[in-house]
Amino acid sequence: MTDSENLRRSILAQVADYYRQVHRENAFQPGQSRVQYAGRVFDERELQNMVGAALDFWLTAGPEAEQFEEQLSRILGVREVVPVNAGSSANLVAVTALCSKRLRNGMRPGDEVIVPAASFPTTVNPIIQNGLVPVFVDSRLGDYNLDPDYLEAALSERTRAVMFAHTLGNPADMDVLTEFVRRHDQFLIEDSCDALGSTWNDRQVGTFGHFGNLSFYPAHHITTGEGAAALTSSRR
Protein backbone atom coordinates (compact mmCIF):
# COMPACT_ATOMS: atom_id res chain seq x y z
CA MET A 1 0.00 0.00 0.00
CA THR A 2 1.39 3.40 -1.00
CA ASP A 3 1.92 6.33 1.35
CA SER A 4 -1.02 8.21 -0.23
CA GLU A 5 -3.31 5.20 0.24
CA ASN A 6 -2.25 4.93 3.89
CA LEU A 7 -2.88 8.64 4.36
CA ARG A 8 -6.32 8.36 2.77
CA ARG A 9 -7.23 5.45 5.05
CA SER A 10 -6.03 7.43 8.07
CA ILE A 11 -8.09 10.49 7.08
CA LEU A 12 -11.28 8.46 6.64
CA ALA A 13 -10.71 6.71 9.97
CA GLN A 14 -10.43 10.10 11.65
CA VAL A 15 -13.64 11.20 9.92
CA ALA A 16 -15.38 8.22 11.54
CA ASP A 17 -13.94 9.23 14.92
CA TYR A 18 -15.16 12.80 14.36
CA TYR A 19 -18.68 11.53 13.66
CA ARG A 20 -18.72 9.48 16.85
CA GLN A 21 -17.56 12.45 18.92
CA VAL A 22 -19.66 15.20 17.32
CA HIS A 23 -22.67 13.88 15.43
CA ARG A 24 -23.74 10.56 16.89
CA GLU A 25 -27.03 10.96 18.71
CA ASN A 26 -27.88 9.40 22.02
CA ALA A 27 -30.09 6.33 22.02
CA PHE A 28 -33.80 7.08 21.97
CA GLN A 29 -35.37 6.81 25.43
CA PRO A 30 -39.16 6.34 25.39
CA GLY A 31 -40.85 8.95 27.53
CA GLN A 32 -37.69 11.04 27.77
CA SER A 33 -36.30 11.72 24.29
CA ARG A 34 -37.97 14.25 22.06
CA VAL A 35 -39.74 12.77 19.03
CA GLN A 36 -38.64 14.67 15.93
CA TYR A 37 -41.13 14.99 13.07
CA ALA A 38 -38.23 15.15 10.61
CA GLY A 39 -34.49 15.40 10.55
CA ARG A 40 -31.24 14.24 9.05
CA VAL A 41 -30.35 10.57 9.47
CA PHE A 42 -26.73 9.73 8.70
CA ASP A 43 -23.69 8.03 10.14
CA GLU A 44 -19.94 7.98 9.58
CA ARG A 45 -20.33 6.38 6.15
CA GLU A 46 -21.97 9.47 4.67
CA LEU A 47 -19.22 11.71 6.03
CA GLN A 48 -16.53 9.34 4.78
CA ASN A 49 -18.07 9.25 1.30
CA MET A 50 -18.27 13.04 1.18
CA VAL A 51 -14.65 13.44 2.27
CA GLY A 52 -13.55 10.65 -0.08
CA ALA A 53 -15.13 12.44 -3.04
CA ALA A 54 -13.41 15.67 -2.01
CA LEU A 55 -10.04 13.88 -1.75
CA ASP A 56 -10.54 12.66 -5.33
CA PHE A 57 -11.59 16.23 -6.22
CA TRP A 58 -14.92 15.14 -7.70
CA LEU A 59 -16.75 18.47 -7.61
CA THR A 60 -19.53 17.28 -9.91
CA ALA A 61 -21.22 13.94 -10.54
CA GLY A 62 -18.68 11.13 -10.50
CA PRO A 63 -18.39 7.40 -9.73
CA GLU A 64 -20.66 7.62 -6.66
CA ALA A 65 -23.36 9.32 -8.73
CA GLU A 66 -23.19 6.59 -11.36
CA GLN A 67 -23.45 3.91 -8.69
CA PHE A 68 -26.42 5.70 -7.14
CA GLU A 69 -28.22 5.88 -10.49
CA GLU A 70 -27.62 2.19 -11.20
CA GLN A 71 -28.78 1.03 -7.78
CA LEU A 72 -31.86 3.28 -7.80
CA SER A 73 -32.80 2.04 -11.26
CA ARG A 74 -32.50 -1.55 -10.09
CA ILE A 75 -34.46 -0.99 -6.87
CA LEU A 76 -37.32 0.81 -8.63
CA GLY A 77 -37.29 -1.46 -11.66
CA VAL A 78 -37.04 1.33 -14.25
CA ARG A 79 -34.94 1.51 -17.41
CA GLU A 80 -33.61 5.05 -17.03
CA VAL A 81 -32.74 7.29 -14.09
CA VAL A 82 -31.86 10.74 -15.43
CA PRO A 83 -30.26 12.99 -12.78
CA VAL A 84 -31.18 16.68 -12.69
CA ASN A 85 -30.64 19.54 -10.27
CA ALA A 86 -34.09 19.66 -8.61
CA GLY A 87 -37.52 18.05 -8.52
CA SER A 88 -39.03 21.01 -10.34
CA SER A 89 -36.51 20.44 -13.13
CA ALA A 90 -37.41 16.75 -13.24
CA ASN A 91 -41.03 17.72 -13.84
CA LEU A 92 -39.96 20.17 -16.54
CA VAL A 93 -37.79 17.51 -18.22
CA ALA A 94 -40.71 15.06 -18.24
CA VAL A 95 -43.25 17.44 -19.74
CA THR A 96 -40.78 18.92 -22.23
CA ALA A 97 -39.71 15.45 -23.39
CA LEU A 98 -43.34 14.55 -24.07
CA CYS A 99 -43.65 17.73 -26.14
CA SER A 100 -40.71 16.81 -28.37
CA LYS A 101 -41.38 17.00 -32.11
CA ARG A 102 -39.32 13.84 -32.43
CA LEU A 103 -41.88 11.99 -30.36
CA ARG A 104 -44.63 10.22 -32.22
CA ASN A 105 -47.93 11.85 -31.28
CA GLY A 106 -46.27 14.15 -28.73
CA MET A 107 -48.05 17.01 -27.01
CA ARG A 108 -48.35 20.38 -28.73
CA PRO A 109 -49.13 23.92 -27.51
CA GLY A 110 -52.79 24.24 -26.62
CA ASP A 111 -53.13 20.60 -25.57
CA GLU A 112 -54.65 20.03 -22.14
CA VAL A 113 -53.20 18.28 -19.09
CA ILE A 114 -55.40 17.22 -16.17
CA VAL A 115 -53.91 18.20 -12.80
CA PRO A 116 -55.22 18.31 -9.20
CA ALA A 117 -56.42 21.68 -7.95
CA ALA A 118 -54.56 21.32 -4.63
CA SER A 119 -50.97 20.58 -5.52
CA PHE A 120 -47.49 22.01 -5.84
CA PRO A 121 -46.79 24.84 -8.32
CA THR A 122 -43.87 22.80 -9.63
CA THR A 123 -46.38 20.27 -10.96
CA VAL A 124 -48.30 22.95 -12.87
CA ASN A 125 -45.50 25.28 -14.00
CA PRO A 126 -43.97 22.90 -16.60
CA ILE A 127 -47.38 22.59 -18.26
CA ILE A 128 -47.62 26.35 -18.69
CA GLN A 129 -43.95 26.68 -19.67
CA ASN A 130 -44.57 24.32 -22.60
CA GLY A 131 -47.65 26.19 -23.82
CA LEU A 132 -50.04 23.52 -22.56
CA VAL A 133 -53.28 24.16 -20.69
CA PRO A 134 -53.74 22.84 -17.12
CA VAL A 135 -57.23 21.55 -16.42
CA PHE A 136 -57.82 21.48 -12.67
CA VAL A 137 -59.89 18.85 -10.91
CA ASP A 138 -60.66 18.65 -7.21
CA SER A 139 -58.66 16.66 -4.70
CA ARG A 140 -60.08 13.90 -2.57
CA LEU A 141 -60.39 14.11 1.20
CA GLY A 142 -58.40 11.43 2.98
CA ASP A 143 -55.37 11.02 0.74
CA TYR A 144 -55.60 14.55 -0.78
CA ASN A 145 -54.69 13.26 -4.22
CA LEU A 146 -56.40 13.96 -7.52
CA ASP A 147 -60.00 12.71 -7.23
CA PRO A 148 -60.49 10.10 -10.00
CA ASP A 149 -64.25 10.65 -9.91
CA TYR A 150 -63.70 13.93 -11.80
CA LEU A 151 -61.49 12.58 -14.57
CA GLU A 152 -64.20 11.94 -17.13
CA ALA A 153 -65.78 15.36 -16.55
CA ALA A 154 -62.41 17.02 -17.19
CA LEU A 155 -61.82 15.12 -20.43
CA SER A 156 -61.98 16.95 -23.76
CA GLU A 157 -60.78 16.35 -27.29
CA ARG A 158 -57.61 18.33 -26.42
CA THR A 159 -56.74 16.28 -23.31
CA ARG A 160 -53.35 14.62 -23.78
CA ALA A 161 -52.04 13.82 -20.31
CA VAL A 162 -52.64 13.47 -16.59
CA MET A 163 -50.01 14.86 -14.22
CA PHE A 164 -50.16 14.79 -10.44
CA ALA A 165 -48.13 14.44 -7.26
CA HIS A 166 -48.58 11.60 -4.77
CA THR A 167 -49.46 14.04 -2.00
CA LEU A 168 -47.27 13.75 1.11
CA GLY A 169 -46.36 10.21 0.09
CA ASN A 170 -49.96 8.96 -0.11
CA PRO A 171 -50.21 6.90 -3.30
CA ALA A 172 -52.95 7.95 -5.70
CA ASP A 173 -55.42 5.37 -7.04
CA MET A 174 -53.20 3.98 -9.76
CA ASP A 175 -55.73 1.36 -10.87
CA VAL A 176 -58.18 4.05 -11.97
CA LEU A 177 -55.55 6.45 -13.29
CA THR A 178 -53.66 3.93 -15.42
CA GLU A 179 -56.90 2.55 -16.84
CA PHE A 180 -58.07 6.07 -17.69
CA VAL A 181 -54.90 7.08 -19.57
CA ARG A 182 -54.73 3.71 -21.33
CA ARG A 183 -58.33 3.93 -22.50
CA HIS A 184 -57.87 7.46 -23.85
CA ASP A 185 -54.30 6.96 -25.13
CA GLN A 186 -52.81 9.66 -22.93
CA PHE A 187 -49.55 10.32 -21.16
CA LEU A 188 -49.17 9.85 -17.41
CA ILE A 189 -46.62 11.77 -15.32
CA GLU A 190 -46.13 10.97 -11.62
CA ASP A 191 -44.54 13.55 -9.37
CA SER A 192 -43.22 11.17 -6.71
CA CYS A 193 -40.95 13.65 -4.92
CA ASP A 194 -42.76 13.01 -1.63
CA ALA A 195 -43.39 9.32 -2.23
CA LEU A 196 -40.16 7.37 -2.66
CA GLY A 197 -40.87 3.91 -1.23
CA SER A 198 -44.66 4.23 -1.41
CA THR A 199 -46.33 1.39 -3.27
CA TRP A 200 -49.63 0.60 -4.96
CA ASN A 201 -50.42 -3.12 -5.11
CA ASP A 202 -46.78 -3.87 -4.25
CA ARG A 203 -45.46 -1.74 -7.10
CA GLN A 204 -43.37 1.38 -6.52
CA VAL A 205 -45.14 4.63 -7.34
CA GLY A 206 -43.31 6.63 -9.95
CA THR A 207 -43.05 3.54 -12.16
CA PHE A 208 -46.59 3.46 -13.54
CA GLY A 209 -46.45 6.46 -15.85
CA HIS A 210 -44.41 7.48 -18.86
CA PHE A 211 -42.36 9.50 -16.37
CA GLY A 212 -41.97 9.44 -12.62
CA ASN A 213 -39.95 12.08 -10.80
CA LEU A 214 -38.04 12.12 -7.53
CA SER A 215 -36.41 14.85 -5.46
CA PHE A 216 -33.33 14.40 -3.29
CA TYR A 217 -33.70 17.69 -1.44
CA PRO A 218 -32.87 17.27 2.29
CA ALA A 219 -36.56 17.36 3.27
CA HIS A 220 -37.26 14.17 1.32
CA HIS A 221 -36.63 10.50 2.03
CA ILE A 222 -33.06 10.37 0.80
CA THR A 223 -30.82 13.28 -0.05
CA THR A 224 -27.81 14.05 -2.19
CA GLY A 225 -27.74 17.55 -0.73
CA GLU A 226 -29.61 18.85 -3.75
CA GLY A 227 -30.61 17.10 -6.93
CA ALA A 228 -33.42 14.96 -8.30
CA ALA A 229 -34.14 12.43 -11.03
CA ALA A 230 -36.58 11.77 -13.84
CA LEU A 231 -37.52 8.10 -14.15
CA THR A 232 -38.81 6.26 -17.19
CA SER A 233 -39.07 2.84 -18.71
CA SER A 234 -41.11 4.02 -21.69
CA ARG A 235 -39.76 3.78 -25.23
CA ARG A 236 -42.78 5.58 -26.69
Side-chain angles (χ1 to χ4, degrees):
M1 186 174 293
T2 65
D3 290 344
S4 61
E5 289 172 334
N6 279 323
L7 181 58
R8 180 189 183 93
R9 177 172 292 188
S10 173
I11 291 170
L12 296 182
Q14 291 182 69
V15 168
D17 289 339
Y18 181 85
Y19 166 82
R20 285 187 284 269
Q21 292 184 37
V22 177
H23 290 295
R24 185 167 60 183
E25 296 181 358
N26 295 324
F28 182 81
Q29 298 293 330
Q32 300 179 27
S33 301
R34 181 175 181 177
V35 178
Q36 302 285 351
Y37 80 95
R40 302 168 299 175
V41 178
F42 66 100
D43 61 22
E44 68 274 11
R45 292 171 295 180
E46 278 77 17
L47 291 184
Q48 288 174 321
N49 288 338
M50 290 174 64
V51 171
L55 292 175
D56 293 332
F57 212 64
W58 277 107
L59 304 182
T60 56
E64 287 83 1
E66 292 181 5
Q67 182 182 10
F68 177 68
E69 294 166 31
E70 293 172 359
Q71 291 182 341
L72 184 62
S73 174
R74 185 166 58 252
I75 290 170
L76 295 177
V78 295
R79 183 172 61 88
E80 296 285 349
V81 172
V82 182
V84 293
N85 66 309
S88 54
S89 296
N91 286 342
L92 180 59
V93 165
V95 176
T96 304
L98 295 177
C99 292
S100 171
K101 293 182 179 179
R102 299 177 61 184
L103 183 66
R104 178 180 61 85
N105 201 31
M107 295 189 288
R108 299 294 177 260
D111 286 344
E112 297 176 354
V113 180
I114 296 174
V115 293
S119 185
F120 301 95
T122 50
T123 306
V124 179
N125 289 347
I127 298 170
I128 298 172
Q129 287 173 281
N130 278 280
L132 307 172
V133 179
V135 176
F136 295 98
V137 301
D138 207 351
S139 298
R140 183 168 58 183
L141 293 177
D143 62 13
Y144 307 101
N145 284 307
L146 180 151
D147 192 331
D149 290 341
Y150 293 105
L151 287 172
E152 294 294 341
L155 185 68
S156 79
E157 61 181 13
R158 298 303 303 269
T159 305
R160 296 300 317 285
V162 178
M163 184 174 182
F164 64 93
H166 296 281
T167 307
L168 301 177
N170 297 315
D173 190 331
M174 298 311 300
D175 291 338
V176 175
L177 286 163
T178 53
E179 193 278 331
F180 177 82
V181 297
R182 180 197 59 77
R183 180 158 41 88
H184 297 290
D185 191 26
Q186 297 174 356
F187 296 112
L188 178 63
I189 306 170
E190 299 175 73
D191 181 337
S192 302
C193 291
D194 279 353
L196 177 61
S198 293
T199 60
W200 182 265
N201 292 337
D202 297 325
R203 180 175 172 179
Q204 296 273 355
V205 300
T207 68
F208 289 84
H210 294 83
F211 275 97
N213 300 321
L214 294 173
S215 172
F216 307 130
Y217 186 73
H220 292 118
H221 299 79
I222 57 176
T223 183
T224 55
E226 296 283 356
L231 319 171
T232 187
S233 293
S234 176
R235 296 183 180 273
R236 177 173 174 177

